[in-house]
């Protein structure tokens, strides 16, 4: 009766679903993959065939300790290349324009540097206290989950170095700092190995790209798969009331399996009607993990002329349409391009414009930020508004507002009957990244293998430990603005005490000698 | 081909859907109502036929200025009765137990009273600045939407009178204060006419109940309806690509209409597959408006013995399983009962218990809070866990975390093609209440009548203006703790200045006379 009868039905042919299918097949199980879109890859998507070569309008970057995705690329014979990182970054802030190499801006005000050093050190130290497997178990989980990231920044920063953190939050979470729980943010930071790793190009999460595009990862896995991938088949229901789990798509096709792996983002799980209904806390969790807001844009030029002026092609900005951009020119120097992230509130604002208006707005912005009029003459423009993609609901990932992680976090990965959950939001390493997606697929597959008591083969799981580096000696020694204030106040009070000491000396001396007398001469 | 071909297909046979249907029919249109559940009423639900008479396990209370629901009750021949409000409320806080009549607790510490007075006055004044029709237009909308309610309380309160507000937030929004945007909270307060109105039994939102239960409102409307109400028919898709809008349910039935009214809570709109897909900002809004968390409980006893001790049967509490409870004995004195709200984090905790465990936990709590052991001998227990209700996803209402209202609020009521949106979350008066549901249905119906250029009849819209009362003279005159601190500091500084004045007199006199000389003798 069913169109497919297999061991495991996988819902979603993105990285996590296909990786789960791969692991399951490698361990001797039969698999069917059911995908809503007319393509595989999920939140990775490579636009090809145009005059611009290939363009990763979805997930693009790979960095150190992301071993699962690196191993997979090697296995599939894909090549990685470095992201262009020579020359200077432009810091284009409301109050300051500067250009420098690296991550830490060249503030002349030492208080700003101390403040920035302090918040990075503090956040990293706090993140280490959040267990990756169970963030709700952190000692201060309840307190941190009641706060937004913005609230924490407001409480901790003395200078507007806070803006750097704000820009960072937007860049990694595609959400505003006031939208996200501080505990969730710390968990995310821990899962990727610390603030600097996440923020960096060199030795960081933006270090490399896949030559030919990241969608090849999924395509490669499909090629090696024995089971069928059913495209254009949005799943509408999952029925667990029978012997086997019955999955139906909107075309009326039915797939049955002993188990199901769902890789649907939590926020979109409501698109599937479960029988029996999902339990209470899961029903509520899936209303509480909204997908981020982003338009990923690519502006093409005839030459990478910004390199002549020693610009790396990267801007960080606390205003304007683009929060963060990078040189996206192909490794062979062809198709010169600036990739720009339009994020969070900016994405929600710019979405009202037409494509042409957005293109012009971005060019004007680049011209001004780089101070080079040549940015006004692009040769082409490509964009992907992930907010209008009904099968993603947004990108890069689903985030948690305050109060969700401590009360509903346990439901993220918990299997519901014979349905297991994957997807990058359910990862514990590199949450929100391609590596996290693969890790979650690996985990879901192994959950099922364990339930079936199958002695599983070693898979391509990561080998480098993801560790937040300890601060360097100078980072540790440098005082916070707080510490300086305390020390100054301490010094001032001591000096005052020193000044007025003589007036009290007589009195104190009398008390001391009286006590001395009582104690020893009694 | 379609099972029904009408002017308007209404999705949802709750108060808003049936009221929309009623208005549309009264203006000459044909209507079909498609409902997911096997009953009408939506978030109103009356359990009947047991030995306990009738019990409103869903929405129950009606108050002043809720004219639409009052008019409807009158029209349907339903009787309202007063909620029992004699005797004293118990304030059962971690740090204090007290019993008193009314709303404002009898704090002996004047600072607490001043602080409470100040925060009520401040919140009401701010709420007035939030336009009910367009809360995102408030002058400080952006600032207030970046804050949680908790953050505002932390910043504003000096004493732990803040707890009273915390308890209030939980009671009216079924969410923790750190989960909700402060702007959303202000909007909600404004929509109901101010803090005191919302918090009160007498002259407030908990003043009256419907004799026989609130579900009769829906049942009454169905009886008068000409069109059919299709029960047990969860809608799975809405197709707007044809001449008429095509609505399909999970049984394969099809309904077509010129227009559609959807009363599905925003958080559950993902259950319907729209063709064409919903636009980007709507797709993201519906991921950002989670339904509250509540288990509504009813503990029955053989007599209302608490009345003997001059207890009203009401407790407010900042700990323990029940945040707020009320005497729910029937107006004729039969079926003595305490209705208890298990809310927000408490609901998420208690959901892990069995029904029997929950019953015992509640009895123990009542016995301790009222200091009467007789609460340990209930005759019966009824509860409704709205979190597990897949067609509500939670109760009383969907709330907005920080950042949502300013960026997505415009999409709440905005029609998408020929689909119009109702439901209490889309109301502008009494959001989250039965009256708000009716108002939203009325509004959606009139949107369609206007599109069809039908000269509509006057309907039962409200006549009393919802106005946040101005503070009384004493409330206005009473200083805040802040003001007292400023005044004290001012006084101290003045006194100090008075003391050291002589030392500077000579110098100041010289300056003054020099300036006087320059000005007048030049």
């Amino acid at each position: 009766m069913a169109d497919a009868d297999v061991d495991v039905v996988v819902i979603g042919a993105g990285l996590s679903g296909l990786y789960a299918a791969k692991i399951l097949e490698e361990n001797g199980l039969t698999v069917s993959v059911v995908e809503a879109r007319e393509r595989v890859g999920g939140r990775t998507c490579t636009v090809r065939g145009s005059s611009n070569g290939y363009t990763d309008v979805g997930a693009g970057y790979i960095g150190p300790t992301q071993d699962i995705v690196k191993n997979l690329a090697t296995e599939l014979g894909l090549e990685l290349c470095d992201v262009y990182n020579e020359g200077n970054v432009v810091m284009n802030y409301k109050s300051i324009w500067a250009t420098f190499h690296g991550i830490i801006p060249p503030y002349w005000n030492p208080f700003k540097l101390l403040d920035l050093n302090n918040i990075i050190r503090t956040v990293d130290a706090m993140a280490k206290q959040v267990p990756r497997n169970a963030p709700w178990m952190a000692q201060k989980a309840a307190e941190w989950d009641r706060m937004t990231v913005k609230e924490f920044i407001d409480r901790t920063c003395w200078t507007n170095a806070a803006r750097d953190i704000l820009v960072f939050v937007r860049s990694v979470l595609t959400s505003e700092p006031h939208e996200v729980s501080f505990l969730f943010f710390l968990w995310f930071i821990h899962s990727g190995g610390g603030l600097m790793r996440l923020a960096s190009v060199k030795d960081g999460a933006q270090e490399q790209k896949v030559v030919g595009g990241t969608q090849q990862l999924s395509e490669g896995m499909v090629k090696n798969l024995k089971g069928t991938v059913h495209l254009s088949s949005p799943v509408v229901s999952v029925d667990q009331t029978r012997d086997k789990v019955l999955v139906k798509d909107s075309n009326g096709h039915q797939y049955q399996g002993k188990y199901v792996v769902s890789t649907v983002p939590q926020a979109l799980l409501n698109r599937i009607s479960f029988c029996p209904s999902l339990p209470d806390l899961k029903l509520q969790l899936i209303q509480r993990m909204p997908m981020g807001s982003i338009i990923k844009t690519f502006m093409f030029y005839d030459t990478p002329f910004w390199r002549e002026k020693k610009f790396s092609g990267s801007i960080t900005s606390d205003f304007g349409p683009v929060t963060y951009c990078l040189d996206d020119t192909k490794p062979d120097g062809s198709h010169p391009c600036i990739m720009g992230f339009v994020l969070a509130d900016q994405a929600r604002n710019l979405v009202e414009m037409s494509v042409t208006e957005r293109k012009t707005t971005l060019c004007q912005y680049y011209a001004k930020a780089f101070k080079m009029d040549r940015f006004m003459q692009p040769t082409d423009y490509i964009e992907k508004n992930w907010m209008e993609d009904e099968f993603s609901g947004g990108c890069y990932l689903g985030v948690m507002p305050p109060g969700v992680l401590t009360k509903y976090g346990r439901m993220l990965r918990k299997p519901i009957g014979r349905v297991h959950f994957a997807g990058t939001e359910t990862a514990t390493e590199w949450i929100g990244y391609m590596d996290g997606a693969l890790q979650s697929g690996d985990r879901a597959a192994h959950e099922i293998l364990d339930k079936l008591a199958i002695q599983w083969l070693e898979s391509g799981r990561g080998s480098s430990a993801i560790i937040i580096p300890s601060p360097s000696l100078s980072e540790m020694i440098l005082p916070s603005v707080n510490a300086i204030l305390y020390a100054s106040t301490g010094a001032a009070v001591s000096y005052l005490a020193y000044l007025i000491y003589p007036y009290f000396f007589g009195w104190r001396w009398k008390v001391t000698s009286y006590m001395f007398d009582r104690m020893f001469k009694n």
Side-chain angles (χ1 to χ4, degrees), chain A residues 228-510:
Chain A
T228 316
V229 178
H230 305 265
L231 297 178
S232 305
S233 309
V235 168
V236 294
S237 71
V238 171
D239 183 347
Q240 295 198 63
T241 57
R242 300 149 196 249
D243 240 22
K244 283 194 148 193
V245 190
L246 190 68
V247 175
K248 282 190 202 169
D249 70 19
S250 66
N251 310 315
H253 294 135
Q254 304 193 352
Y255 315 86
Q256 62 182 28
K258 289 180 198 147
Y259 291 96
V260 166
V261 174
S262 161
T263 69
V264 178
Q266 304 285 318
L268 303 188
L269 271 174
N270 249 335
R271 295 180 75 97
I272 299 173
S273 167
F274 286 86
C275 181
S277 160
L278 293 174
D280 34 29
L281 293 183
K282 186 78 176 180
L283 268 181
Q284 290 220 313
L285 167 65
I286 65 180
Q287 303 170 34
R288 284 168 165 77
M289 222 182 156
M291 303 297 287
S293 306
I294 179 176
I295 309 171
K296 195 173 181 182
T297 66
F298 297 83
M299 199 71 72
F300 292 90
Y301 295 95
D302 46 10
T303 60
F305 54 84
W306 51 90
R307 296 182 181 179
E308 296 160 18
K309 286 219 175 176
K310 299 264 178 289
F311 286 130
S312 70
S314 180
I315 311 174
T316 61
S317 182
D318 67 343
F319 76 105
V322 172
T323 300
Y324 185 57
C325 69
L326 279 171
D327 187 324
D328 202 56
T329 308
K330 300 288 169 289
D332 61 1
S334 66
H335 309 300
C337 174
I338 298 287
M339 181 289 300
F341 285 133
V342 179
L343 299 170
D345 276 357
Q346 289 298 351
R348 297 156 196 160
N349 294 340
L350 262 66
V351 95
E352 311 280 0
M353 293 181 179
S354 71
V355 178
T356 324
E357 282 170 338
R358 261 199 300 277
K359 182 179 171 184
T360 311
T361 304
L362 262 60
C363 285
Q364 283 168 344
Y365 173 77
Y366 291 143
K368 217 167 163 187
F370 285 115
K371 303 188 175 176
M372 293 177 88
D373 285 345
R374 286 177 72 183
F375 278 98
M376 291 302 292
Q377 279 101 46
T379 56
D380 203 358
Y381 174 65
I382 294 179
E383 64 166 30
K384 168 84 179 168
N385 171 9
W386 283 95
M387 297 182 286
E388 68 181 7
D389 188 309
E390 64 169 329
F391 298 120
S392 290
C395 265
Y396 330 132
L397 76 160
V399 299
M400 288 182 176
V404 180
L405 188 49
T406 43
K407 287 297 162 191
Y408 299 96
R410 287 171 184 80
M411 302 307 292
L412 257 175
R413 293 193 291 278
K414 192 179 175 184
I416 309 290
R418 287 166 285 170
V419 179
H420 293 250
F421 296 92
T424 193
E425 284 84 6
T426 69
T428 57
E429 296 182 356
W430 288 104
I431 299 163
Y433 289 79
M434 293 189 282
D435 198 69
L438 297 174
Q439 190 227 19
S440 75
D442 182 80
R443 192 246 324 131
H446 282 89
E447 283 171 3
I448 291 171
L449 293 174
D450 285 342
K451 273 199 185 171
L452 290 168
I454 291 173
Q455 189 79 35
W456 38 265
L457 305 166
E458 211 49 64
S459 67
R461 291 210 233 195
S463 56
S464 346
I466 299 175
I467 292 168
I468 299 180
S470 296
S472 71
L473 191 63
S474 66
E475 284 164 356
M476 261 167 63
I477 285 174
L478 284 176
S480 66
V481 175
N482 239 341
I484 291 178
L485 282 177
Y486 276 120
S488 318
T489 313
V493 168
S494 308
Y495 183 67
L496 217 71
Y498 167 77
L499 285 182
I500 61 171
Y501 187 71
Y503 300 100
F504 292 92
F505 187 83
W507 169 79
R508 272 188 60 187
W509 181 244
K510 273 179 212 153

Side-chain angles (χ1 to χ4, degrees), chain A residues 63-256:
Chain A
T65 79
Q66 299 184 355
D67 293 333
I68 317 183
V69 68
K70 284 186 177 182
N71 291 347
L72 179 64
T74 309
E75 188 186 327
L76 297 173
L78 299 172
E79 205 187 319
L80 301 186
C81 61
D82 284 354
V83 170
Y84 186 78
N85 189 36
E86 283 156 50
N88 294 321
V89 169
V90 170
M91 186 172 79
N92 186 41
Y93 286 175
K94 258 180 232 150
S95 52
I96 182 176
W97 185 95
T99 169
F100 62 99
H101 190 75
I103 289 281
I104 303 291
Y107 291 123
W108 60 263
N109 178 348
F111 285 107
K112 279 195 193 170
L113 284 174
L114 291 178
D115 210 18
L116 190 57
N117 177 63
N118 178 59
I119 197 158
I120 293 174
R121 204 176 46 185
T122 307
V123 166
D124 272 358
M126 289 166 113
K128 276 190 195 176
Q129 296 174 44
V130 177
R132 279 195 289 239
N133 282 305
W136 46 85
M137 298 289 281
Q139 214 192 329
K140 296 197 174 168
E143 184 190 332
W144 292 342
D145 202 27
R146 286 199 202 102
M147 240 188 266
T148 64
V149 181
K150 177 179 184 296
E151 206 175 335
F152 175 78
I153 297 175
D154 285 351
R155 284 190 196 184
T156 311
C157 286
W158 286 86
T159 71
N160 54 11
R163 288 170 321 192
D164 300 321
I165 299 296
L166 183 148
V167 165
F168 171 79
V169 174
R170 225 187 260 145
S171 297
V172 292
L173 292 180
T174 48
S175 304
E176 296 294 330
H178 57 262
E179 294 178 296
V180 183
S181 147
F182 184 54
L183 181 68
F184 178 84
F185 177 65
L186 292 175
W187 181 40
F188 173 86
I189 297 296
H190 195 184
S191 86
L195 272 168
M196 294 305 282
R197 166 84 12 113
L198 285 157
S200 300
V201 174
K202 189 174 160 45
D203 200 35
Q206 284 71 240
E207 189 172 53
Q208 293 183 301
K209 299 199 67 175
V210 175
V211 178
T214 53
Q215 207 179 339
Q216 293 173 107
L217 291 165
S218 300
E219 290 157 351
M221 286 193 280
V222 169
K223 211 178 284 170
N224 298 336
L225 215 63
K226 279 173 245 148
T228 316
V229 178
H230 305 265
L231 297 178
S232 305
S233 309
V235 168
V236 294
S237 71
V238 171
D239 183 347
Q240 295 198 63
T241 57
R242 300 149 196 249
D243 240 22
K244 283 194 148 193
V245 190
L246 190 68
V247 175
K248 282 190 202 169
D249 70 19
S250 66
N251 310 315
H253 294 135
Q254 304 193 352
Y255 315 86
Q256 62 182 28

